[in-house]
Amino acid sequence: MKKWFVMLLMSVLVMSSISVALADSEGKGNKHGHHKKKHNDFKLGVEVLLDEEKDLIEGKNVGLITNPTGVDQELTSIVDRLHNDADVNLTALYGPEHGVRGSAQAGEYVEFYTDEQTGLPVYSLYGKTRKPTPEMLEGIDVLLFDIQDVGTRFYTYIYTMAYAMEAAEENNIEFIVLDRPNPLGGEAVEGPVLNDDYSSFVGKYEIPLRHGMTVGELSKLFNNEFGIGADLTVVEMEGWDRDMYYDDTELEWVLPSPNMPTLDTALVYPGAALIEGTNVSEGRGTTKPFELIGAPFIQSTELASELNRLDLPGVEFRAASFTPSFSKHAGNLSHGVQLHVTDKEEFEPVITGMSLVKTIHDLYPEEFEFRAENSSGISFFDLLVGNGWIREAIEQGESVEEMQEKWEDDLKAFKKVRKNYLLYK
């Protein structure tokens, strides 16, 4: 081999390794070229509270509503941080669905108990009551809320927050929300706005399926727009921008609930979870809930090719078979698809979820079913989607585009209201 050629080859290799190192150091590979936020310029609400705004809680009896996601960037539980802080008098804990330490499955009743680590009383907000009673709040001066949300209307923690805000207002207690990122970013807003007739614990207020707000921003919206009127303070994050998804921060993902194992789950959840309102498995009982969708009656390659033909942005569908270990079709081989998000910023989870439901309905009309209606003629699907007309539209063969046109006016009106409550640029 000629000497000049070897020299040229070596210089090319050196240059390419330098450019790779530079790309790594600049945090590239992200469409916006975001830098990963470093620990020193990003702070969670809980960190801002304890580092800069501790006077909000000093000298007061503190009640804390949290779960396993209530941790700082070093993964220390807020329960332990407050309990071990000599300046803070933490007196009671309150757990949402799945409990304070996250040991309960979806919909499971959680009793009152004593927290082993701290000896503090733990009251359930997912038991006989979803709203703290005056007895539960006895002696409390201020309630803190620190729970990671996933950015979807039917995720119940935001209504635990709303009910607790109501109780705080009724019992003359201050309410503080320690803010956390919306894992889906704070820009995209999608889907139908809830119709008030379909209000439930999986959708209490008129907000869209993907709201694009942090819990702090939602608390302000709920407080003012829906007449709660609590004495509310939001401790904002530092260093979070609206265009940041969860993986644009350096935060570790802590499961917000047993079937929300990864950010990938949260990305598909605003639409894929609509499958819960049908007789098709949403992948509970597998390691990929909401990414795996199927039923024994589905032909997987047929469904995958039909969905891929729609050419939905930012997602590919792969034919997949799986056997759920619990929940729908437990122990039965089910066939369907796995959703692979190829570009999270192009991806439209709500349109994707609607397309999934409609395509399965159209391909398998004999076997596919929406969950049964209750005595008021409302199906669980209606509660998830937030209205009764979308189910009818699917049954009458309307296209997803036609449905989207119908909800667009309400969505525009919501976006206008939403602007008044945004805390971050």
Side-chain angles (χ1 to χ4, degrees):
M1 200 184 282
K2 291 264 197 299
K3 193 171 176 183
W4 63 267
F5 182 73
V6 173
M7 295 289 285
L8 180 66
L9 190 64
M10 285 179 72
S11 66
V12 166
L13 287 170
V14 167
M15 289 306 290
S16 67
S17 67
I18 288 171
S19 66
V20 165
L22 277 171
D24 283 350
S25 72
E26 289 171 19
K28 286 183 180 164
N30 173 316
K31 210 169 83 166
H32 289 322
H34 293 145
H35 299 340
K36 279 261 189 182
K37 294 283 176 180
K38 296 289 179 283
H39 288 248
N40 56 5
D41 68 357
F42 174 81
K43 277 187 169 183
L44 291 162
V46 57
E47 294 164 333
V48 175
L49 175 81
L50 292 176
D51 295 349
E52 301 164 32
E53 298 186 25
K54 214 195 281 184
D55 57 315
L56 287 170
I57 56 171
E58 278 178 339
K60 296 172 184 173
N61 291 338
V62 178
L64 172 65
I65 304 161
T66 193
N67 74 353
T69 63
V71 291
D72 63 16
Q73 290 185 71
E74 308 303 321
L75 298 177
T76 305
S77 167
I78 179 179
V79 177
D80 303 325
R81 279 203 65 173
L82 293 176
H83 180 66
N84 297 329
D85 190 315
D87 302 326
V88 179
N89 186 27
L90 182 61
T91 53
L93 304 175
Y94 304 85
E97 183 175 2
H98 314 297
V100 166
R101 304 269 181 191
S103 49
Q105 263 295 354
E108 200 170 276
Y109 176 70
V110 184
E111 299 270 7
F112 168 83
Y113 60 99
T114 302
D115 181 55
E116 281 179 21
Q117 275 92 318
T118 60
L120 291 169
V122 183
Y123 297 98
S124 171
L125 301 182
Y126 196 78
K128 291 194 177 78
T129 179
R130 287 176 180 171
K131 181 171 171 177
T133 61
E135 294 74 38
M136 291 181 183
L137 296 171
E138 215 165 293
I140 299 290
D141 302 311
V142 58
L143 269 177
L144 297 184
F145 180 91
D146 189 20
I147 292 179
Q148 178 63 55
D149 182 42
V150 299
T152 299
R153 182 181 67 219
F154 40 65
Y155 208 55
T156 63
Y157 299 149
I158 55 176
Y159 308 118
T160 295
M161 175 177 76
Y163 281 128
M165 285 165 65
E166 285 178 9
E169 191 279 325
E170 289 158 13
N171 292 278
N172 206 21
I173 291 169
E174 295 167 60
F175 199 90
I176 299 176
V177 176
L178 306 179
D179 216 1
R180 290 183 173 270
N182 183 325
L184 311 181
E187 292 184 328
V189 180
E190 286 182 72
V193 172
L194 179 104
N195 173 328
D196 194 32
D197 294 341
Y198 293 82
S199 177
S200 75
F201 199 52
V202 290
K204 186 167 160 59
Y205 299 121
E206 296 102 298
I207 63 173
L209 280 176
R210 181 183 184 180
H211 49 71
M213 300 175 81
T214 67
V215 281
E217 293 171 335
L218 279 175
S219 71
K220 283 182 164 300
L221 177 98
F222 292 171
N223 206 38
N224 292 347
E225 296 297 323
F226 302 110
I228 297 174
D231 178 358
L232 173 68
T233 305
V234 175
V235 178
E236 295 176 32
M237 295 174 279
E238 290 175 5
W240 188 77
D241 304 321
R242 301 214 77 77
D243 65 352
M244 289 169 71
Y245 282 70
Y246 201 82
D247 51 357
D248 292 320
T249 72
E250 288 203 337
L251 295 169
E252 296 295 335
W253 183 264
V254 177
L255 278 73
S257 56
N259 292 293
M260 196 62 63
T262 64
L263 174 59
D264 288 340
T265 327
L267 288 173
V268 301
Y269 185 68
L274 294 173
I275 290 286
E276 289 201 68
T278 76
N279 65 342
V280 176
S281 167
E282 66 279 0
R284 285 182 192 273
T286 76
T287 57
K288 296 276 181 189
F290 307 107
E291 292 176 72
L292 286 169
I293 305 291
F297 59 79
I298 290 174
Q299 214 281 329
S300 52
T301 48
E302 177 183 43
L303 179 59
S305 66
E306 275 300 308
L307 288 165
N308 284 324
R309 197 175 292 146
L310 298 174
D311 203 22
L312 297 167
V315 64
E316 296 285 337
F317 298 90
R318 181 182 64 83
S321 295
F322 57 92
T323 304
S325 60
F326 62 86
S327 200
K328 281 185 225 159
H329 307 302
N332 293 315
L333 182 62
S334 295
H335 310 285
V337 291
Q338 182 176 349
L339 285 73
H340 293 269
V341 177
T342 54
D343 184 333
K344 66 179 183 288
E345 305 189 19
E346 293 293 317
F347 177 57
E348 296 173 343
V350 176
I351 296 299
T352 302
M354 297 282 184
S355 303
L356 260 172
V357 175
K358 179 178 162 50
T359 304
I360 298 171
H361 167 277
D362 294 355
L363 283 177
Y364 310 102
E366 297 302 309
E367 296 90 355
F368 174 89
E369 290 170 5
F370 287 104
R371 297 254 294 265
E373 295 179 357
N374 64 16
S375 55
S376 312
I378 295 174
S379 162
F380 187 58
F381 180 84
D382 304 338
L383 295 179
L384 291 172
V385 85
N387 60 61
W389 65 264
I390 284 180
R391 178 163 58 108
E392 283 174 18
I394 291 168
E395 287 170 337
Q396 287 162 11
E398 277 189 34
S399 70
V400 174
E401 290 73 26
E402 287 172 299
M403 294 179 228
Q404 190 176 6
E405 274 172 33
K406 282 188 195 168
W407 76 58
E408 208 50 48
D409 285 350
D410 284 348
L411 190 60
K412 277 189 186 135
F414 170 78
K415 284 179 181 173
K416 270 191 191 151
V417 173
R418 172 181 175 271
K419 270 187 188 149
N420 302 324
Y421 299 100
L422 301 182
L423 301 170
Y424 308 90
K425 289 199 171 75

